Amino acid sequence: MGTTLLAAVAALGWGAADYCGARASRNVPAARVVFLSQVLSLPVIAVWLAATAEHGPEPTALAWGFGAGALGLLGLVLLYRTLAAEGIVLVAPVTAVTVAVVPLVVGLAVQTAPGPLALCGVCCAVLSVALVSRAGRIRQATVATRTLLLALAAGGALGLQLVFISHPGPDAGLWPLVGARAVSILCVAPGALRGWPKAGGAPVPWLPVVLAGALDSAAFAFCLFATDQGLLSVVGPIVSLYPAATVVLALVLDGERVTVHQALGLFLGAGALLLVAV
């Protein structure tokens, strides 16, 4: 139950962080929002480290964190390119499901398989991710092979990010997150700071920026705590349910309409959590 709860909290954190980041990016470039939110999240990470770290940074843990940060950035770049192409409605579920399936497959390959009920819950979680991530009615019967490959690559990179950042194990604490943050901040900084501050530009919405960074860092921390206690094949699909939290926030705060398949996905996600927790 502890592992399921930690993974669910991580999913809620990432979903809320995505919502805040999207709100902040309405008038400010997304790269700047990512950069500022991650820089401002460093105090949160420092507090987590002060409360949980039993030793200083280990080169191995930082190296896996560097790899996770690079994979996360690669996944985001590929995802943005994919979303700019045709077949967005088809691509989003493909990417989201791949993010869930990659840690599932890796976990099954290198760890003990979960029990029958938990495995059933994991499958429900993967299906839930696909349903919740659909943006609307599918108008195309097919999607270009290149676009599909980009979607798979984006999901694969983001899924491997979870594998890499959790690989060092419990003894590493949150140091892999430090490595991931260092890579992402350094890589995003040039594009984010180009031409800023600019006279007459839109002001930075600091509240959603700060919330996005803090929630994202907290979600990573809970994800690491979950993988320290439980199986990656279970934690990965559960934390991939984060789009459900984004959808619920958009429904409650923005009055957006939830489609039938998204509502079904939300119910499946809740069922998945119950099955895994049993």
Side-chain angles (χ1 to χ4, degrees):
M1 182 62 179
T3 300
T4 304
L5 181 59
L6 289 170
V9 171
L12 288 173
W14 270 321
D18 282 356
Y19 174 81
C20 292
R23 291 291 298 266
S25 300
R26 290 179 178 178
N27 298 312
V28 178
R32 191 169 300 157
V33 172
V34 171
F35 172 76
L36 291 174
S37 66
Q38 296 204 355
V39 169
L40 293 172
S41 74
L42 294 178
V44 177
I45 298 175
V47 171
W48 279 103
L49 283 172
T52 61
E54 298 179 356
H55 50 75
E58 296 181 355
T60 302
L62 290 175
W64 282 100
F66 293 154
L71 284 166
L73 282 175
L74 174 62
L76 286 177
V77 170
L78 291 174
L79 179 60
Y80 292 156
R81 288 189 61 184
T82 307
L83 293 177
E86 298 180 0
I88 295 176
V89 175
L90 288 172
V91 163
V94 171
T95 302
V97 168
T98 307
V99 174
V101 168
V102 168
L104 168 62
V105 172
V106 173
L108 290 175
V110 301
Q111 297 176 330
T112 304
L117 282 178
L119 190 58
C120 181
V122 166
C123 293
C124 288
V126 173
L127 181 57
S128 170
V129 170
L131 291 171
V132 171
S133 301
R134 276 186 54 185
R137 180 175 299 176
I138 297 176
R139 300 179 184 276
Q140 294 175 253
T142 60
V143 62
T145 302
R146 180 175 178 275
T147 301
L148 181 60
L149 290 176
L150 282 174
L152 290 171
L158 293 172
L160 285 174
Q161 179 188 28
L162 294 176
V163 176
F164 271 55
I165 204 167
S166 63
H167 180 80
D171 293 337
L174 296 181
W175 290 111
L177 176 57
V178 175
R181 276 289 180 266
V183 169
S184 58
I185 289 174
L186 290 175
C187 290
V188 173
L193 298 178
R194 187 181 298 118
W196 184 69
K198 181 180 180 181
V204 175
W206 290 109
L207 180 58
V209 167
V210 171
L211 287 175
L215 289 166
D216 181 64
S217 295
F220 263 114
F222 279 106
C223 180
L224 286 171
F225 295 150
T227 54
D228 289 345
Q229 294 185 17
L231 297 172
L232 179 62
S233 57
V234 173
V235 173
I238 291 178
V239 299
S240 298
L241 289 169
Y242 65 88
T246 308
V247 169
V248 171
L249 285 172
L251 170 67
V252 174
L253 299 180
D254 296 340
E256 293 190 11
R257 298 180 61 183
V258 175
T259 62
V260 174
H261 56 260
Q262 285 178 323
L264 179 58
L266 293 174
F267 281 113
L268 269 177
L273 293 177
L274 291 175
L275 287 171
V276 172
V278 172

